[in-house]
Amino acid sequence: MSLRVQVVMNEVEREAFRRQAGLEGMSLSGWLRKAAHDRLEKVRPPKIDSLEALRAFFAECGDRERGVEPDWQEHLASIAQSRSTGVPQS
């Protein structure tokens, strides 16, 4: 089922979008839909559905993050400190 959506823009924008759509062999409607889908792809979290995708995700994280992860004993000490200064257990 197709629905119509009204998009408000001025004539200059409409003409620029229409012209670019034509250069790409698309209708204005199709071009705008593709632009919206492309934008969604950029903001959606990656789908991890294979070992290769998981490896790519961790590689991207490794490239993006800086610093050194504390060792496990430091984590445990931090947790213990938090428990001793936090809300008492009931």
Coordinates of all heavy atoms in Angstrom, one line a residue:
M1 N 0.8 -1.2 0.0 CA 0.0 0.0 0.0 C 0.9 1.2 0.0 O 1.8 1.4 0.8 CB -0.9 0.0 1.2 CG -1.8 1.2 1.4 SD -2.8 0.9 2.9 CE -3.6 2.4 3.0
S2 N 0.6 2.1 -0.9 CA 1.4 3.4 -1.0 C 0.7 4.5 -0.3 O -0.6 4.6 -0.4 CB 1.7 3.7 -2.5 OG 2.5 2.8 -3.1
L3 N 1.4 5.4 0.3 CA 0.8 6.6 0.9 C 1.5 7.8 0.4 O 2.7 7.7 -0.1 CB 1.0 6.5 2.5 CG 0.4 5.3 3.2 CD1 0.9 5.4 4.6 CD2 -1.1 5.4 3.1
R4 N 0.9 8.9 0.4 CA 1.4 10.1 -0.1 C 1.8 11.0 1.2 O 1.1 11.0 2.2 CB 0.5 10.9 -0.9 CG 0.2 10.3 -2.2 CD -0.7 11.2 -3.1 NE -1.0 10.5 -4.3 CZ -0.3 10.7 -5.4 NH1 0.7 11.5 -5.4 NH2 -0.6 10.1 -6.5
V5 N 3.0 11.6 1.0 CA 3.5 12.5 2.1 C 3.8 13.8 1.5 O 4.4 13.9 0.4 CB 4.8 11.9 2.7 CG1 5.3 12.9 3.8 CG2 4.5 10.6 3.4
Q6 N 3.3 14.9 2.1 CA 3.6 16.2 1.5 C 4.9 16.8 2.2 O 5.1 16.7 3.4 CB 2.4 17.2 1.9 CG 2.6 18.6 1.3 CD 1.4 19.4 1.6 OE1 0.4 19.0 2.2 NE2 1.5 20.7 1.2
V7 N 5.7 17.3 1.3 CA 7.0 17.8 1.7 C 7.0 19.3 1.3 O 6.8 19.6 0.1 CB 8.2 17.1 1.1 CG1 9.5 17.7 1.5 CG2 8.2 15.6 1.4
V8 N 7.1 20.2 2.3 CA 7.1 21.6 2.0 C 8.5 22.1 1.7 O 9.5 21.8 2.4 CB 6.6 22.4 3.2 CG1 6.6 23.9 2.9 CG2 5.2 21.9 3.6
M9 N 8.7 22.7 0.5 CA 10.0 23.3 0.1 C 9.8 24.4 -0.8 O 8.7 24.6 -1.4 CB 10.9 22.2 -0.6 CG 10.3 21.7 -1.9 SD 11.3 20.3 -2.6 CE 10.8 18.9 -1.6
N10 N 10.8 25.3 -1.0 CA 10.6 26.4 -1.9 C 10.9 25.9 -3.3 O 11.4 24.8 -3.6 CB 11.4 27.6 -1.5 CG 12.9 27.3 -1.5 OD1 13.4 26.7 -2.5 ND2 13.6 27.8 -0.5
E11 N 10.6 26.8 -4.3 CA 10.8 26.4 -5.7 C 12.2 26.1 -6.1 O 12.5 25.2 -6.9 CB 10.2 27.5 -6.6 CG 8.7 27.7 -6.5 CD 8.2 28.8 -7.4 OE1 8.8 29.1 -8.4 OE2 7.2 29.4 -7.0
V12 N 13.1 26.9 -5.5 CA 14.5 26.7 -5.8 C 15.0 25.3 -5.4 O 15.7 24.6 -6.1 CB 15.4 27.8 -5.2 CG1 16.9 27.5 -5.4 CG2 15.0 29.1 -5.8
E13 N 14.6 24.9 -4.1 CA 15.0 23.6 -3.6 C 14.3 22.5 -4.5 O 15.0 21.5 -4.9 CB 14.4 23.4 -2.2 CG 15.1 24.2 -1.2 CD 14.5 24.0 0.2 OE1 13.2 24.1 0.3 OE2 15.2 23.9 1.2
R14 N 13.0 22.7 -4.8 CA 12.3 21.7 -5.6 C 13.0 21.5 -7.0 O 13.3 20.3 -7.4 CB 10.9 22.1 -5.9 CG 10.1 21.0 -6.7 CD 8.7 21.6 -7.1 NE 8.1 20.7 -8.0 CZ 8.3 20.6 -9.3 NH1 9.2 21.4 -9.9 NH2 7.7 19.8 -10.1
E15 N 13.4 22.6 -7.6 CA 14.1 22.5 -8.9 C 15.4 21.8 -8.8 O 15.8 21.0 -9.6 CB 14.2 23.8 -9.6 CG 14.7 23.8 -11.0 CD 14.0 22.9 -11.9 OE1 12.8 22.7 -11.8 OE2 14.6 22.4 -12.9
A16 N 16.2 22.1 -7.8 CA 17.5 21.5 -7.6 C 17.4 20.0 -7.4 O 18.1 19.2 -7.9 CB 18.2 22.2 -6.4
F17 N 16.4 19.6 -6.5 CA 16.2 18.2 -6.2 C 15.7 17.5 -7.5 O 16.2 16.4 -7.8 CB 15.2 18.0 -5.1 CG 15.6 18.6 -3.8 CD1 14.6 18.8 -2.8 CD2 16.9 18.8 -3.5 CE1 15.0 19.3 -1.6 CE2 17.3 19.3 -2.2 CZ 16.3 19.6 -1.3
R18 N 14.8 18.1 -8.2 CA 14.2 17.5 -9.4 C 15.3 17.3 -10.5 O 15.4 16.2 -11.1 CB 13.1 18.3 -10.0 CG 12.3 17.7 -11.1 CD 11.6 18.6 -12.0 NE 12.4 19.7 -12.6 CZ 13.2 19.5 -13.6 NH1 13.3 18.3 -14.2 NH2 14.0 20.5 -14.1
R19 N 16.2 18.3 -10.6 CA 17.3 18.2 -11.6 C 18.2 17.1 -11.2 O 18.6 16.3 -12.1 CB 18.0 19.6 -11.7 CG 19.0 19.6 -12.8 CD 19.8 21.0 -12.9 NE 18.8 22.1 -13.1 CZ 18.7 23.1 -12.2 NH1 19.5 23.1 -11.1 NH2 17.8 24.0 -12.4
Q20 N 18.6 17.0 -10.0 CA 19.5 16.0 -9.6 C 18.9 14.6 -9.7 O 19.6 13.7 -10.2 CB 20.0 16.2 -8.1 CG 21.1 15.2 -7.7 CD 22.3 15.3 -8.5 OE1 22.8 16.4 -8.9 NE2 22.9 14.2 -8.8
A21 N 17.7 14.5 -9.4 CA 17.0 13.2 -9.6 C 17.0 12.8 -11.0 O 17.3 11.6 -11.3 CB 15.5 13.3 -9.0
G22 N 16.7 13.7 -11.9 CA 16.7 13.4 -13.3 C 18.1 13.0 -13.8 O 18.2 12.1 -14.6
L23 N 19.2 13.7 -13.3 CA 20.5 13.3 -13.7 C 20.9 11.8 -13.2 O 21.7 11.2 -13.9 CB 21.5 14.2 -13.1 CG 21.6 15.7 -13.6 CD1 22.5 16.6 -12.8 CD2 22.0 15.6 -15.1
E24 N 20.2 11.4 -12.1 CA 20.4 10.1 -11.6 C 19.4 9.1 -12.2 O 19.4 7.9 -11.8 CB 20.4 10.1 -10.1 CG 21.5 10.9 -9.5 CD 21.5 11.0 -8.0 OE1 21.0 10.0 -7.3 OE2 22.0 12.0 -7.4
G25 N 18.6 9.5 -13.1 CA 17.6 8.7 -13.8 C 16.5 8.3 -12.8 O 15.9 7.2 -13.0
M26 N 16.1 9.2 -11.9 CA 15.1 8.8 -11.0 C 14.0 9.9 -11.0 O 14.2 11.0 -11.4 CB 15.6 8.8 -9.5 CG 16.7 7.7 -9.4 SD 17.5 7.8 -7.7 CE 16.2 7.0 -6.8
S27 N 12.8 9.5 -10.5 CA 11.8 10.5 -10.3 C 12.1 11.3 -9.0 O 12.9 10.9 -8.2 CB 10.4 9.9 -10.1 OG 10.4 9.1 -8.9
L28 N 11.5 12.5 -8.9 CA 11.8 13.3 -7.6 C 11.3 12.5 -6.4 O 12.1 12.4 -5.4 CB 11.0 14.6 -7.7 CG 11.1 15.5 -6.5 CD1 12.6 15.8 -6.1 CD2 10.3 16.8 -6.7
S29 N 10.2 11.8 -6.5 CA 9.7 11.0 -5.4 C 10.7 9.9 -5.0 O 11.0 9.7 -3.9 CB 8.3 10.4 -5.8 OG 7.9 9.6 -4.7
G30 N 11.2 9.2 -6.0 CA 12.1 8.1 -5.8 C 13.4 8.6 -5.2 O 14.0 8.0 -4.4
W31 N 13.9 9.7 -5.8 CA 15.1 10.3 -5.3 C 15.0 10.7 -3.8 O 15.9 10.5 -3.0 CB 15.5 11.5 -6.2 CG 16.8 12.1 -5.9 CD1 18.0 11.6 -6.4 CD2 17.1 13.2 -5.1 NE1 19.0 12.4 -6.0 CE2 18.5 13.4 -5.1 CE3 16.4 14.1 -4.3 CZ2 19.2 14.4 -4.5 CZ3 17.0 15.1 -3.6 CH2 18.4 15.3 -3.7
L32 N 13.9 11.3 -3.4 CA 13.7 11.7 -2.0 C 13.6 10.5 -1.1 O 14.1 10.5 0.0 CB 12.4 12.6 -1.9 CG 12.6 14.0 -2.5 CD1 11.2 14.7 -2.5 CD2 13.6 14.9 -1.7
R33 N 12.9 9.5 -1.6 CA 12.8 8.2 -0.8 C 14.2 7.6 -0.6 O 14.6 7.2 0.5 CB 11.9 7.2 -1.5 CG 10.5 7.1 -1.0 CD 9.8 5.9 -1.5 NE 10.0 5.5 -2.8 CZ 9.4 6.1 -3.9 NH1 8.6 7.0 -3.8 NH2 9.7 5.7 -5.1
K34 N 15.0 7.6 -1.7 CA 16.4 7.1 -1.6 C 17.2 7.9 -0.6 O 17.9 7.3 0.2 CB 17.1 7.0 -2.9 CG 18.4 6.4 -2.9 CD 19.1 6.3 -4.2 CE 20.5 5.7 -4.2 NZ 21.3 6.1 -3.1
A35 N 17.1 9.2 -0.7 CA 17.8 10.1 0.3 C 17.4 9.8 1.7 O 18.3 9.7 2.6 CB 17.6 11.5 -0.1
A36 N 16.1 9.6 1.9 CA 15.7 9.3 3.3 C 16.2 7.9 3.8 O 16.6 7.8 4.9 CB 14.1 9.3 3.3
H37 N 16.2 6.9 2.9 CA 16.7 5.6 3.2 C 18.2 5.7 3.5 O 18.7 5.0 4.5 CB 16.4 4.6 2.1 CG 15.0 4.1 2.1 ND1 14.5 3.2 3.0 CD2 14.0 4.4 1.2 CE1 13.3 2.9 2.7 NE2 12.9 3.6 1.6
D38 N 18.9 6.4 2.7 CA 20.4 6.6 2.9 C 20.6 7.2 4.3 O 21.5 6.8 5.0 CB 21.0 7.4 1.8 CG 21.1 6.7 0.5 OD1 20.8 5.5 0.4 OD2 21.3 7.4 -0.5
R39 N 19.8 8.2 4.7 CA 20.0 8.8 6.0 C 19.7 7.9 7.1 O 20.4 7.9 8.1 CB 19.0 10.0 6.0 CG 19.0 10.8 7.3 CD 20.1 11.9 7.3 NE 20.2 12.6 8.5 CZ 19.7 13.8 8.7 NH1 19.2 14.5 7.7 NH2 19.8 14.4 9.9
L40 N 18.7 7.0 7.0 CA 18.4 6.0 8.0 C 19.5 5.1 8.2 O 19.8 4.7 9.3 CB 17.1 5.3 7.6 CG 15.8 5.9 8.0 CD1 14.6 5.0 7.5 CD2 15.6 6.1 9.5
E41 N 20.1 4.6 7.1 CA 21.2 3.7 7.2 C 22.4 4.2 8.0 O 23.1 3.5 8.7 CB 21.7 3.3 5.8 CG 20.9 2.2 5.1 CD 21.5 1.7 3.8 OE1 22.8 1.6 3.8 OE2 20.8 1.5 2.9
K42 N 22.6 5.5 7.9 CA 23.7 6.2 8.6 C 23.5 6.2 10.1 O 24.4 6.2 10.9 CB 23.9 7.6 8.1 CG 24.6 7.7 6.7 CD 24.8 9.1 6.3 CE 25.4 9.2 5.0 NZ 25.7 10.6 4.6
V43 N 22.2 6.3 10.5 CA 22.0 6.4 12.0 C 21.5 5.1 12.7 O 21.5 5.0 13.9 CB 20.9 7.5 12.3 CG1 21.4 8.8 11.8 CG2 19.5 7.1 11.6
R44 N 21.2 4.1 11.9 CA 20.9 2.8 12.5 C 22.1 2.1 13.0 O 23.1 2.1 12.3 CB 20.2 1.9 11.4 CG 18.7 2.3 11.2 CD 18.0 1.2 10.4 NE 16.7 1.6 10.2 CZ 16.0 1.4 9.1 NH1 16.5 0.8 8.1 NH2 14.7 1.8 9.0
P45 N 22.0 1.4 14.1 CA 23.1 0.6 14.5 C 23.4 -0.6 13.5 O 22.4 -1.1 12.9 CB 22.7 0.0 15.9 CG 21.3 0.3 16.0 CD 20.9 1.3 15.0
P46 N 24.6 -1.0 13.4 CA 24.9 -2.0 12.5 C 24.3 -3.4 12.9 O 24.1 -3.7 14.1 CB 26.4 -2.2 12.5 CG 26.8 -1.6 13.8 CD 25.8 -0.6 14.2
K47 N 23.8 -4.2 11.9 CA 23.3 -5.5 12.2 C 24.4 -6.5 12.2 O 25.1 -6.6 11.3 CB 22.3 -5.8 11.1 CG 21.5 -7.1 11.3 CD 20.4 -7.3 10.3 CE 19.7 -8.6 10.6 NZ 18.6 -8.8 9.6
I48 N 24.5 -7.1 13.3 CA 25.6 -8.1 13.5 C 25.0 -9.5 13.4 O 24.4 -10.0 14.3 CB 26.3 -7.9 14.8 CG1 26.9 -6.5 14.9 CG2 27.4 -9.0 15.0 CD1 27.5 -6.1 16.2
D49 N 25.1 -10.1 12.2 CA 24.5 -11.4 12.0 C 25.4 -12.4 11.4 O 25.0 -13.5 10.9 CB 23.3 -11.2 11.0 CG 23.7 -10.6 9.7 OD1 24.9 -10.3 9.5 OD2 22.8 -10.4 8.8
S50 N 26.7 -12.2 11.6 CA 27.7 -13.1 11.2 C 29.0 -12.9 11.9 O 29.2 -11.8 12.5 CB 28.0 -13.0 9.6 OG 28.6 -11.8 9.4
L51 N 29.9 -13.9 11.9 CA 31.2 -13.7 12.5 C 32.0 -12.6 11.9 O 32.6 -11.8 12.6 CB 32.0 -15.0 12.4 CG 33.3 -15.0 13.1 CD1 33.2 -14.7 14.6 CD2 34.0 -16.4 12.9
E52 N 31.9 -12.4 10.6 CA 32.6 -11.3 9.9 C 32.0 -10.0 10.3 O 32.8 -9.0 10.5 CB 32.4 -11.5 8.4 CG 33.1 -12.7 7.8 CD 32.3 -14.0 8.0 OE1 31.1 -13.9 8.1 OE2 33.0 -15.0 8.0
A53 N 30.7 -9.9 10.5 CA 30.1 -8.6 10.9 C 30.6 -8.3 12.4 O 30.8 -7.1 12.7 CB 28.6 -8.7 10.8
L54 N 30.7 -9.3 13.2 CA 31.1 -9.1 14.6 C 32.6 -8.6 14.6 O 32.9 -7.7 15.3 CB 31.0 -10.4 15.4 CG 31.3 -10.4 16.9 CD1 30.5 -9.4 17.6 CD2 31.2 -11.7 17.5
R55 N 33.4 -9.3 13.8 CA 34.8 -8.9 13.7 C 34.9 -7.4 13.2 O 35.7 -6.6 13.8 CB 35.6 -9.8 12.9 CG 35.9 -11.1 13.5 CD 36.7 -12.0 12.6 NE 37.0 -13.3 13.4 CZ 37.0 -14.5 12.8 NH1 36.8 -14.6 11.5 NH2 37.3 -15.5 13.6
A56 N 34.1 -7.1 12.2 CA 34.2 -5.7 11.7 C 33.7 -4.7 12.8 O 34.3 -3.6 12.9 CB 33.3 -5.6 10.5
F57 N 32.7 -5.1 13.6 CA 32.2 -4.2 14.6 C 33.3 -3.9 15.7 O 33.6 -2.8 16.0 CB 31.0 -4.8 15.3 CG 30.6 -4.1 16.6 CD1 29.9 -2.9 16.5 CD2 30.9 -4.7 17.8 CE1 29.5 -2.2 17.7 CE2 30.5 -4.0 19.0 CZ 29.8 -2.8 18.9
F58 N 34.0 -5.0 16.1 CA 35.1 -4.8 17.1 C 36.3 -4.1 16.5 O 36.9 -3.3 17.2 CB 35.5 -6.2 17.7 CG 34.6 -6.7 18.7 CD1 33.9 -7.9 18.6 CD2 34.3 -5.9 19.9 CE1 33.0 -8.3 19.5 CE2 33.4 -6.4 20.9 CZ 32.8 -7.6 20.7
A59 N 36.6 -4.3 15.2 CA 37.7 -3.5 14.6 C 37.3 -2.0 14.6 O 38.2 -1.2 14.8 CB 37.9 -4.1 13.2
E60 N 36.1 -1.7 14.2 CA 35.6 -0.3 14.2 C 35.7 0.3 15.6 O 36.2 1.4 15.8 CB 34.2 -0.2 13.7 CG 33.7 1.2 13.6 CD 32.2 1.2 13.2 OE1 31.8 0.4 12.4 OE2 31.5 2.1 13.8
C61 N 35.3 -0.5 16.6 CA 35.4 0.0 18.0 C 36.9 0.3 18.4 O 37.2 1.3 19.0 CB 34.8 -0.9 19.0 SG 33.0 -1.1 18.9
G62 N 37.7 -0.7 18.0 CA 39.1 -0.5 18.3 C 39.8 0.7 17.6 O 40.6 1.4 18.2
D63 N 39.3 1.0 16.4 CA 39.8 2.2 15.7 C 39.3 3.5 16.3 O 40.0 4.5 16.3 CB 39.4 2.1 14.2 CG 40.1 1.0 13.5 OD1 41.1 0.5 14.0 OD2 39.6 0.6 12.4
R64 N 38.1 3.4 16.8 CA 37.4 4.6 17.4 C 37.8 5.0 18.8 O 38.0 6.1 19.1 CB 35.9 4.4 17.3 CG 35.1 5.6 17.7 CD 33.6 5.4 17.6 NE 33.2 4.3 18.5 CZ 32.5 3.2 18.2 NH1 32.1 3.1 16.9 NH2 32.2 2.3 19.0
E65 N 38.0 4.0 19.6 CA 38.2 4.2 21.0 C 39.7 4.3 21.3 O 40.5 3.7 20.7 CB 37.7 3.0 21.9 CG 36.2 2.8 21.7 CD 35.3 4.0 22.1 OE1 35.7 4.7 23.1 OE2 34.3 4.2 21.5
R66 N 40.0 5.2 22.3 CA 41.4 5.4 22.7 C 41.6 5.1 24.1 O 40.6 5.1 24.9 CB 41.9 6.8 22.4 CG 41.8 7.2 20.9 CD 42.9 6.4 20.2 NE 42.8 6.7 18.7 CZ 42.6 5.7 17.9 NH1 42.5 4.5 18.2 NH2 42.5 6.0 16.6
G67 N 42.8 4.8 24.6 CA 43.0 4.6 26.0 C 43.3 3.1 26.3 O 43.3 2.3 25.3
V68 N 43.4 2.8 27.5 CA 43.8 1.4 27.9 C 42.7 0.9 28.9 O 42.3 1.6 29.8 CB 45.1 1.4 28.6 CG1 45.5 0.0 29.1 CG2 46.2 1.9 27.7
E69 N 42.2 -0.2 28.6 CA 41.2 -0.8 29.4 C 41.8 -1.3 30.7 O 42.9 -2.0 30.7 CB 40.5 -2.0 28.7 CG 39.4 -2.7 29.5 CD 38.1 -1.9 29.5 OE1 37.9 -1.0 28.7 OE2 37.3 -2.2 30.4
P70 N 41.3 -1.0 31.9 CA 41.9 -1.5 33.2 C 41.8 -3.0 33.2 O 41.0 -3.6 32.6 CB 41.0 -0.9 34.2 CG 40.2 0.2 33.6 CD 40.1 -0.2 32.1
D71 N 42.8 -3.6 34.0 CA 42.7 -5.0 34.1 C 41.6 -5.4 35.0 O 41.0 -4.6 35.7 CB 44.1 -5.6 34.5 CG 44.5 -5.3 35.9 OD1 43.6 -4.9 36.7 OD2 45.6 -5.5 36.3
W72 N 41.3 -6.7 35.1 CA 40.2 -7.2 35.8 C 40.2 -6.9 37.3 O 39.2 -6.6 38.0 CB 40.0 -8.7 35.6 CG 38.8 -9.3 36.2 CD1 38.7 -10.3 37.1 CD2 37.4 -8.9 36.0 NE1 37.4 -10.5 37.5 CE2 36.6 -9.6 36.8 CE3 36.8 -7.9 35.1 CZ2 35.2 -9.5 36.8 CZ3 35.4 -7.8 35.1 CH2 34.6 -8.6 35.9
Q73 N 41.4 -7.0 37.9 CA 41.6 -6.7 39.3 C 41.2 -5.2 39.6 O 40.6 -4.9 40.6 CB 43.0 -7.0 39.8 CG 43.4 -8.5 39.7 CD 42.4 -9.3 40.5 OE1 42.0 -9.0 41.6 NE2 42.0 -10.4 39.9
E74 N 41.5 -4.3 38.7 CA 41.1 -2.9 38.9 C 39.6 -2.8 38.8 O 39.0 -2.0 39.6 CB 41.8 -2.0 37.9 CG 43.3 -1.9 38.1 CD 43.9 -1.0 37.0 OE1 43.5 0.2 36.9 OE2 44.7 -1.5 36.2
H75 N 38.9 -3.5 37.9 CA 37.5 -3.5 37.9 C 36.9 -4.0 39.2 O 35.9 -3.4 39.7 CB 37.0 -4.4 36.7 CG 37.1 -3.7 35.4 ND1 36.3 -2.6 35.0 CD2 37.8 -4.1 34.3 CE1 36.6 -2.3 33.8 NE2 37.5 -3.2 33.3
L76 N 37.4 -5.1 39.7 CA 36.9 -5.7 40.9 C 37.1 -4.7 42.1 O 36.1 -4.6 42.9 CB 37.6 -7.0 41.2 CG 37.3 -8.2 40.3 CD1 38.1 -9.4 40.7 CD2 35.8 -8.5 40.3
A77 N 38.2 -4.0 42.2 CA 38.4 -3.0 43.2 C 37.4 -1.9 43.1 O 36.9 -1.4 44.1 CB 39.9 -2.5 43.2
S78 N 37.2 -1.5 41.9 CA 36.2 -0.4 41.7 C 34.8 -0.8 42.1 O 34.1 0.0 42.7 CB 36.2 0.0 40.2 OG 35.3 1.0 39.9
I79 N 34.4 -2.0 41.8 CA 33.1 -2.5 42.2 C 33.0 -2.6 43.7 O 32.0 -2.2 44.3 CB 32.9 -3.9 41.5 CG1 32.7 -3.7 40.0 CG2 31.6 -4.6 42.1 CD1 32.7 -5.1 39.2
A80 N 34.1 -3.1 44.3 CA 34.1 -3.3 45.8 C 34.0 -1.9 46.4 O 33.2 -1.7 47.4 CB 35.3 -4.0 46.3
Q81 N 34.7 -0.9 45.9 CA 34.6 0.4 46.5 C 33.2 1.0 46.3 O 32.7 1.6 47.2 CB 35.6 1.3 45.8 CG 35.4 2.8 46.1 CD 36.6 3.5 46.5 OE1 37.7 3.1 46.3 NE2 36.4 4.7 47.1
S82 N 32.6 0.8 45.2 CA 31.3 1.3 44.9 C 30.3 0.7 45.9 O 29.4 1.4 46.4 CB 30.9 1.0 43.5 OG 29.5 1.4 43.3
R83 N 30.4 -0.6 46.1 CA 29.5 -1.3 47.1 C 29.7 -0.8 48.5 O 28.7 -0.6 49.2 CB 29.8 -2.8 47.1 CG 29.2 -3.4 45.8 CD 29.4 -4.9 45.9 NE 28.8 -5.6 44.7 CZ 29.3 -6.7 44.2 NH1 30.3 -7.4 44.8 NH2 28.7 -7.2 43.2
S84 N 30.9 -0.5 48.9 CA 31.1 0.0 50.3 C 30.7 1.4 50.5 O 30.4 1.8 51.6 CB 32.6 -0.2 50.6 OG 33.4 0.7 49.9
T85 N 30.6 2.2 49.5 CA 30.2 3.6 49.6 C 28.8 3.9 49.1 O 28.3 5.0 49.3 CB 31.2 4.5 48.9 OG1 31.2 4.2 47.5 CG2 32.6 4.4 49.5
G86 N 28.2 2.9 48.5 CA 26.9 3.0 47.9 C 25.8 2.8 48.9 O 26.0 2.8 50.1
V87 N 24.6 2.5 48.4 CA 23.4 2.2 49.2 C 23.6 0.8 49.8 O 24.0 -0.1 49.2 CB 22.2 2.2 48.3 CG1 20.9 1.8 49.1 CG2 22.0 3.6 47.6
P88 N 23.4 0.7 51.2 CA 23.5 -0.6 51.8 C 22.6 -1.6 51.2 O 21.5 -1.4 50.8 CB 23.1 -0.3 53.3 CG 23.1 1.2 53.4 CD 22.9 1.8 52.0
Q89 N 23.1 -2.9 51.2 CA 22.4 -4.0 50.7 C 21.3 -4.4 51.7 O 21.6 -4.3 52.9 CB 23.3 -5.2 50.4 CG 24.3 -4.9 49.3 CD 23.7 -4.9 47.9 OE1 22.8 -5.6 47.6 NE2 24.2 -4.0 47.1
S90 N 20.1 -4.8 51.3 CA 19.1 -5.2 52.3 C 18.9 -6.7 52.3 O 19.4 -7.4 51.5 CB 17.8 -4.5 52.1 OG 17.5 -4.4 50.7

